[in-house]
C-alpha cells in the first residue's frame, strides 16, 4: 500500500463544521509501529448510513497476533510499565485524554461513517473516553495492599500485582470508550495489552492508538490489531503467552472464548448480552416511563447490551403507555448521523437481516406489530423504531436479543408475576423500575436478577458505578473502582524477622 499521512487526506468546511475526509487505508499498531498485514489482505469498512465502502484496514491474523503478544510480553518482562510509579502510569492516562482533545473532530466524523452514530453521539464518545482515562488515571496510585498482623517478629503484607499480558476483545457498538476503559485499567495496574478491534467498526481505536503513541506510552504496552473474530480473535484468546482476557460481545462468542481460556486456566472478565426488562407499575408516571424506555431502546438504534428491550407493564396501563411510546417513536427522525437525525442505522446488512428475521418470527408467534418491523426503503441499513405488543414471556422475541431498536411489551397483573417475567430469561444484565412507591421500588430491586437496576430512569449511573452482568450476561465488573480488581491478583509476602 502507498504511504499515506496518518490523519486525513484533506479537510473541507461545510457551513461551520470542519469535515475530515476519512483516510482510505489504516494499519495495525504493534510494538509502537504501524504495520501492514503480513499476507497483504485488508478488511473493507462500509458506512452503515449508505452501504458504501469508505476505507480499508490491514487484516490482522495469527501472524499479527503473535507479533503483538510478543511485543506485550517483552514490555511486561522488561517492566517498562511496572518500573514507572503508579502516579506516572496515571499521568499517561491524562496525557492520552489530552491528545484525544485534538483528535475529537476526526473521531466524531469516523463515528458517523464507521459506526452509524450521530455527530453529537460521536463527540460524546470522545468525552466519555476521556472521562474513563482521567478516572482511572486518578485511581492509579490508590490501589493499595494491606498489612496483616501475625504477632511478634513477623511482618506480613499483600501486594496487588498485574497478571501480565491482557488480551482484550471489544465490541463494534462502542469500540472507543469500551476499549479505552479496558486499556486504562490494564495499564494503570501494570499489565500490557493486545486488543483486537472489531472488524465492523475499528477506526476510532486506531486514533486511540495514535493518542497513546503521542502520549509516550511505552512501546509494546498497548497493541491494537484489527482482524476477523474467527482468525485474529481465536488466535488471541487461545495464545499460549497471554495471561488474562477481557471480552465484550455475544453469549455465543463468549462461550468460545471461555472454552479457550479454560484450556490454560486464564482469568476472564466477561461482559455479554442482555434482554433487559423495564417493569412499569400501575402508579408509574407514564410520560416519564415512555420517555426513558424509548431512550433506553432507541439510543444508537438499540445496539447497546443494556438496552431496555422488554417492557413489563401492569395490565391497567399497557394501552396508554404503548400509545405514548408510539408517539415517542414517531417523533424520532431516522437517517445518517451526518444529517443530524435522532437515530442512525444498524451496523451492517447482516445485522439488519437478522433483526428483520426475528421480527418475522414475532409476527408468526402471534405478537402484534404496533409500529415498525421493516427496513426503510433507502440507502443504508435502517430499521425504524419497532414495538411489539401482545407478547408472551415464552416467545422467542421475548427471550432472544435483537440488538436493534425493537421493544417487546409484556403485561402483568401482580408484582410477583412482574418479577417472574423480568427474571425469566437466560440474561441478567440490567433492569428498570417505574413507580412512585419507594417501598415497592426497593422490594422489586431486591428481587430482580440483574447487575444494575435503574429506578424511574434508564442508565442511571456513570463511569464511577460498577457495570456487569449475572447469569449468561457474564461476570466481573467494568467501570468504577471495582473494575480495577479484575486486572490484579493478590500476592502475600510474609517475613520472619
Amino acid at each position: 500500500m502507498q504511504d499515506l499521512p496518518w490523519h486525513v487526506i484533506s479537510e473541507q468546511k461545510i457551513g461551520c463544521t470542519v469535515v475530515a475526509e476519512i483516510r482510505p487505508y489504516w494499519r495495525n499498531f504493534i510494538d509502537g509501529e504501524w504495520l501492514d498485514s503480513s499476507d497483504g489482505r485488508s478488511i473493507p469498512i462500509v458506512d452503515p448510513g449508505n452501504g458504501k465502502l469508505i476505507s480499508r484496514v490491514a487484516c490482522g491474523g495469527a501472524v499479527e497476533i503473535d507479533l503483538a503478544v510478543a511485543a506485550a510480553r517483552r514490555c511486561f518482562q522488561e517492566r517498562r510499565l511496572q518500573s514507572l510509579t503508579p502516579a506516572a502510569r496515571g499521568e499517561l492516562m491524562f496525557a492520552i485524554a489530552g491528545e484525544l482533545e485534538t483528535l475529537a473532530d476526526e473521531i466524531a466524523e469516523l463515528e458517523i461513517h464507521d459506526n452509524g452514530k450521530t455527530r453529537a453521539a460521536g463527540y460524546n464518545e470522545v468525552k466519555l473516553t476521556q472521562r474513563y482515562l482521567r478516572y482511572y488515571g486518578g485511581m492509579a496510585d490508590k490501589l493499595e495492599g494491606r498489612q496483616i498482623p501475625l504477632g511478634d517478629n513477623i511482618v506480613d503484607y499483600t501486594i496487588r500485582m498485574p497478571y501480565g499480558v491482557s488480551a482484550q476483545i471489544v465490541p463494534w457498538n462502542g469500540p472507543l470508550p469500551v476499549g479505552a476503559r479496558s486499556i486504562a485499567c490494564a495499564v494503570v495496574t501494570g499489565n500490557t495489552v493486545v486488543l483486537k478491534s472489531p472488524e465492523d467498526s475499528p477506526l476510532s481505536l486506531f486514533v486511540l492508538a495514535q493518542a497513546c503513541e503521542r502520549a509516550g506510552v511505552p512501546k509494546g504496552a498497548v497493541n491494537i490489531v484489527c482482524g476477523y473474530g474467527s482468525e485474529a480473535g481465536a488466535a488471541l484468546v487461545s495464545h499460549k503467552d497471554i495471561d488474562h482476557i477481557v471480552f465484550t460481545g455475544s453469549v455465543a462468542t463468549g462461550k468460545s472464548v471461555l472454552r479457550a481460556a479454560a484450556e490454560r486456566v486464564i482469568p476472564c472478565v466477561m461482559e455479554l448480552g442482555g434482554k433487559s426488562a423495564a417493569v412499569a407499575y400501575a402508579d408509574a408516571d407514564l410520560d416519564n416511563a415512555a420517555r426513558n424506555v424509548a431512550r433506553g431502546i432507541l439510543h444508537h438504534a438499540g445496539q447497546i447490551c443494556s438496552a431496555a428491550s422488554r417492557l413489563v407493564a401492569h395490565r391497567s396501563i399497557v394501552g396508554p403507555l404503548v400509545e405514548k411510546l408510539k408517539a415517542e417513536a414517531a417523533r424520532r427522525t431516522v437517517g445518517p448521523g451526518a444529517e443530524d437525525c435522532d437515530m442512525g442505522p444498524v451496523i451492517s446488512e447482516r445485522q439488519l437481516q437478522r433483526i428483520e428475521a426475528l421480527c418475522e418470527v414475532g409476527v408468526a408467534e402471534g405478537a402484534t406489530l404496533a409500529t415498525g418491523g421493516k427496513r426503510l426503503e433507502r440507502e443504508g441499513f435502517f430499521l425504524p423504531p419497532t414495538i411489539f405488543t401482545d407478547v408472551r414471556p415464552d416467545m422467542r422475541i421475548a427471550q432472544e436479543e435483537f440488538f436493534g431498536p425493537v421493544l417487546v411489551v409484556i403485561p402483568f397483573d401482580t408484582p410477583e408475576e412482574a418479577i417472574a417475567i423480568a427474571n425469566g430469561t437466560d440474561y441478567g444484565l440490567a433492569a428498570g423500575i417505574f413507580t412512585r412507591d419507594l417501598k415497592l421500588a426497593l422490594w422489586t430491586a431486591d428481587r430482580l436478577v440483574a447487575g444494575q437496576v435503574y429506578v424511574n430512569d434508564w442508565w442511571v449511573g456513570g463511569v464511577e458505578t460498577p457495570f456487569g452482568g449475572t447469569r449468561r450476561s457474564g461476570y466481573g465488573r467494568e467501570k468504577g473502582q471495582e473494575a480495577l480488581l479484575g486486572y490484579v491478583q493478590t500476592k502475600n509476602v510474609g517475613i520472619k524477622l
Side-chain angles (χ1 to χ4, degrees):
M1 288 288 184
Q2 69 181 101
D3 193 21
L4 297 168
W6 167 256
H7 283 297
V8 295
I9 304 307
S10 65
E11 290 186 343
Q12 54 180 317
K13 282 192 174 181
I14 299 177
C16 296
T17 303
V18 176
V19 179
E21 184 178 329
I22 295 172
R23 180 180 178 181
Y25 178 67
W26 306 69
R27 297 179 174 90
N28 292 304
F29 185 66
I30 300 172
D31 203 15
E33 304 292 337
W34 297 96
L35 302 181
D36 290 311
S37 173
S38 58
D39 59 10
R41 289 187 303 157
S42 63
I43 297 173
I45 306 301
V46 173
D47 184 341
N50 58 26
K52 295 178 180 178
L53 181 73
I54 58 169
S55 189
R56 286 186 173 275
V57 173
C59 180
V63 171
E64 286 70 33
I65 292 299
D66 281 342
L67 290 171
V69 173
R73 176 59 63 194
R74 281 194 302 274
C75 182
F76 184 75
Q77 288 182 333
E78 293 172 7
R79 300 179 67 87
R80 297 176 199 168
L81 287 174
Q82 289 172 277
S83 63
L84 299 174
T85 65
R89 295 197 293 267
E91 286 166 4
L92 283 175
M93 299 302 103
F94 281 90
I96 297 168
E99 293 295 339
L100 289 177
E101 193 70 34
T102 66
L103 299 166
D105 291 336
E106 180 182 5
I107 293 170
E109 201 68 21
L110 291 175
E111 290 296 309
I112 291 170
H113 298 290
D114 178 38
N115 194 272
K117 288 185 170 65
T118 64
R119 179 167 277 107
Y123 280 107
N124 284 337
E125 292 287 274
V126 178
K127 293 177 182 177
L128 177 58
T129 300
Q130 291 174 309
R131 181 78 179 95
Y132 278 125
L133 291 164
R134 289 167 177 152
Y135 179 81
Y136 288 114
M139 287 293 299
D141 57 357
K142 299 172 182 65
L143 192 64
E144 301 170 344
R146 63 191 180 100
Q147 187 268 332
I148 303 170
L150 293 178
D152 292 344
N153 298 320
I154 296 179
V155 175
D156 193 280
Y157 60 93
T158 63
I159 298 171
R160 303 287 196 183
M161 40 179 306
Y163 282 105
V165 177
S166 177
Q168 303 181 355
I169 297 178
V170 299
W172 49 257
N173 60 330
L176 181 64
V178 174
R181 76 188 182 197
S182 297
I183 288 172
C185 286
V187 171
V188 301
T189 52
N191 298 278
T192 57
V193 175
V194 177
L195 183 147
K196 192 201 85 69
S197 60
E199 62 270 25
D200 284 324
S201 180
L203 302 186
S204 61
L205 281 167
F206 287 127
V207 182
L208 177 64
Q210 183 192 4
C212 291
E213 183 182 34
R214 287 182 175 182
V217 174
K219 286 188 176 184
V222 175
N223 306 272
I224 296 180
V225 178
C226 182
Y228 295 108
S230 59
E231 298 176 3
L236 180 57
V237 298
S238 62
H239 201 283
K240 61 181 175 57
D241 208 20
I242 63 169
D243 305 297
H244 178 251
I245 296 174
V246 182
F247 174 80
T248 301
S250 70
V251 173
T253 305
K255 290 178 180 179
S256 297
V257 171
L258 287 170
R259 281 190 287 269
E263 286 297 316
R264 296 191 56 250
V265 197
I266 294 175
C268 299
V269 177
M270 305 294 291
E271 204 272 277
L272 306 177
K275 190 71 174 176
S276 301
V279 177
Y281 285 106
D283 68 336
D285 179 332
L286 297 189
D287 289 327
N288 178 64
R291 182 170 58 252
N292 282 289
V293 170
R295 182 171 64 92
I297 188 58
L298 300 180
H299 182 68
H300 195 26
Q303 298 171 117
I304 298 176
C305 54
S306 56
S309 53
R310 290 183 295 153
L311 173 60
V312 182
H314 192 271
R315 198 174 301 276
S316 66
I317 61 168
V318 168
L321 184 50
V322 167
E323 289 305 310
K324 290 181 182 295
L325 282 163
K326 289 168 64 177
E328 288 283 343
R331 276 194 285 271
R332 282 166 167 77
T333 56
V334 181
E339 296 177 7
D340 291 325
C341 294
D342 299 317
M343 195 179 88
V346 298
I347 192 66
S348 65
E349 173 65 26
R350 180 182 67 256
Q351 179 66 7
L352 180 54
Q353 289 177 353
R354 181 187 172 280
I355 296 169
E356 282 190 304
L358 194 51
C359 285
E360 291 172 0
V361 168
V363 173
E365 287 181 315
T368 299
L369 188 57
T371 187
K374 295 286 185 182
R375 72 175 66 200
L376 297 181
E377 295 299 325
R378 59 171 299 166
E379 284 187 325
F381 315 127
F382 295 95
L383 187 82
T386 298
I387 301 172
F388 279 98
T389 60
D390 303 315
V391 177
R392 298 188 311 274
D394 61 338
M395 288 181 175
R396 279 182 59 190
I397 60 170
Q399 294 289 322
E400 297 182 18
E401 188 176 27
F402 277 93
F403 218 67
V406 183
L407 176 70
V408 301
V409 183
I410 307 170
F412 74 88
D413 294 300
T414 67
E416 291 77 11
E417 185 184 5
I419 294 295
I421 294 170
N423 292 343
T425 73
D426 277 346
Y427 298 102
L429 188 54
I433 305 165
F434 292 90
T435 179
R436 303 172 198 263
D437 185 335
L438 180 58
K439 184 177 180 180
L440 181 59
L442 294 174
W443 180 90
T444 305
D446 188 51
R447 288 160 175 77
L448 287 170
V449 179
Q452 40 277 311
V453 178
Y454 317 122
V455 179
N456 290 328
D457 203 337
W458 200 263
W459 291 314
V460 182
V463 168
E464 307 85 351
T465 54
F467 179 86
T470 62
R471 291 179 172 168
R472 262 54 69 196
S473 288
Y475 56 83
R477 291 296 178 263
E478 301 278 14
K479 300 170 57 174
Q481 297 180 34
E482 192 172 337
L484 289 174
L485 300 179
Y487 293 77
V488 293
Q489 50 194 330
T490 300
K491 176 188 286 185
N492 183 257
V493 179
I495 305 171
K496 181 68 178 291
L497 300 178

